[in-house]
Amino acid sequence: MSRIDLNADLGESYGAWTMGDDRSMLDVVTSANVACGFHAGDPAGLLATLRQAVARRVDVGAHVSYPDLRGFGRRDADPPSAELTADVVYQIGALRGLAAAAGTHVRYVKPHGALYNRIVHDERQAAAVVDAVLAVDPELALVGLPDSEIARVAESEGLRFVPEAFADRAYRADGSLVSRTEPGAVLHDPGEIAERMLRLATEGVITSIEGQDIALSAETVCVHGDTAGAVGIARAVRETFESAGLDVRAFSAR
């Protein structure tokens, strides 16, 4: 792979509650997954993040979630399909309005937290999310875990699917993410993370928490904005990519 995107989850502050450092992260990443108010983000804060993304020419995606502000979107849910589809449509629409006010466009959709993990294996919820994206704009891309239900459903419906890897998360041998409730699930060493991601980008391989090398395909790499030292991690990953001659730019920039 000679080209790779670097993304981060941003716009997650809420009122007096500050989450992450959007301004600094936007100096590093090429795509920004911006919250839509369901798991985090208030309108004024989201608009500010979008304007900062515009100033740095960073592409923007809608980071959609279950309606779960208290749980930061990390609590599992099982809404009816019609309700989930409507929730995702609502969130994309809200961010598109804010993006227009900031002078940019929403170019893709990335589910967040529990929803992201659920649609790895839940075909019904995956279909509800795909239905929502298609209803709003079939030209939008959908970001998710490779070799998942959401990947299969999106591709079967003609929706562009962008496989993603997580820089700061540990993987199991089956390619799934280690639960945040388990030790070692979140990685923190920038140098180690950068080398893991370089191997992923150049060889398509990552080492699982069990110590087994597994094949993993990704067009974009995510650093979570709320991970301790997130900006330093993202910077180390980008510098390592560029030193290796990789073209770091938004996947939506064709």
Side-chain angles (χ1 to χ4, degrees):
M1 182 184 298
S2 60
R3 173 178 169 181
I4 190 92
D5 174 53
L6 186 60
N7 77 73
D9 301 340
L10 303 177
E12 293 181 330
S13 296
Y14 194 88
W17 173 44
T18 300
M19 177 70 77
D21 183 354
D22 288 6
R23 187 179 297 273
S24 296
M25 190 66 89
L26 284 164
D27 287 330
V28 183
V29 299
T30 47
S31 295
N33 320 311
V34 181
C36 301
F38 270 35
H39 77 276
D42 61 81
L46 295 175
L47 185 57
T49 293
L50 289 163
R51 285 173 172 160
Q52 291 165 18
V54 171
R56 291 159 179 79
R57 298 183 178 179
V58 173
D59 279 4
V60 169
H63 202 27
V64 299
S65 168
Y66 294 131
D68 181 26
L69 277 173
R70 182 172 293 183
F72 197 63
R74 289 182 176 156
R75 298 185 293 192
D76 194 27
D78 192 24
S81 296
E83 182 179 313
L84 179 55
T85 296
D87 281 351
V88 173
V89 167
Y90 182 93
Q91 291 175 82
I92 298 170
L95 197 70
R96 279 162 67 107
L98 288 166
T104 190
H105 302 278
V106 172
R107 302 189 183 278
Y108 64 93
V109 175
K110 175 185 167 181
H112 164 82
L115 176 58
Y116 186 103
N117 292 327
R118 181 67 177 254
I119 58 180
V120 168
H121 58 81
D122 189 320
E123 181 181 4
R124 182 187 66 79
Q125 289 203 26
V129 171
V130 168
D131 285 347
V133 178
L134 290 172
V136 175
D137 184 355
E139 295 301 312
L140 291 169
L142 182 60
V143 175
L145 211 64
D147 301 317
S148 61
E149 282 298 321
I150 188 65
R152 187 189 65 76
V153 174
E155 290 166 353
S156 71
E157 293 296 326
L159 193 63
R160 183 187 177 196
F161 183 79
V162 179
E164 177 181 45
F166 290 90
D168 49 4
R169 292 294 303 278
Y171 283 80
R172 294 207 175 280
D174 64 359
S176 64
L177 298 173
V178 176
S179 170
R180 286 179 177 269
T181 62
E182 299 181 32
V186 181
L187 309 179
H188 296 284
D189 184 284
E192 177 188 350
I193 291 170
E195 289 304 316
R196 279 169 61 86
M197 291 301 100
L198 180 60
R199 190 175 182 216
L200 169 73
T202 57
E203 301 177 32
V205 172
I206 196 167
T207 303
S208 71
I209 198 168
E210 299 92 347
Q212 177 180 340
D213 282 352
I214 57 173
L216 194 68
S217 173
E219 293 180 43
T220 184
V221 169
C222 176
V223 175
H224 287 96
D226 64 326
T227 296
V231 176
I233 292 170
R235 189 174 291 118
V237 171
R238 177 155 191 167
E239 289 174 354
T240 299
F241 282 165
E242 292 178 335
S243 294
L246 295 178
D247 180 12
V248 184
R249 58 173 156 153
F251 64 81
S252 53
R254 298 190 179 187

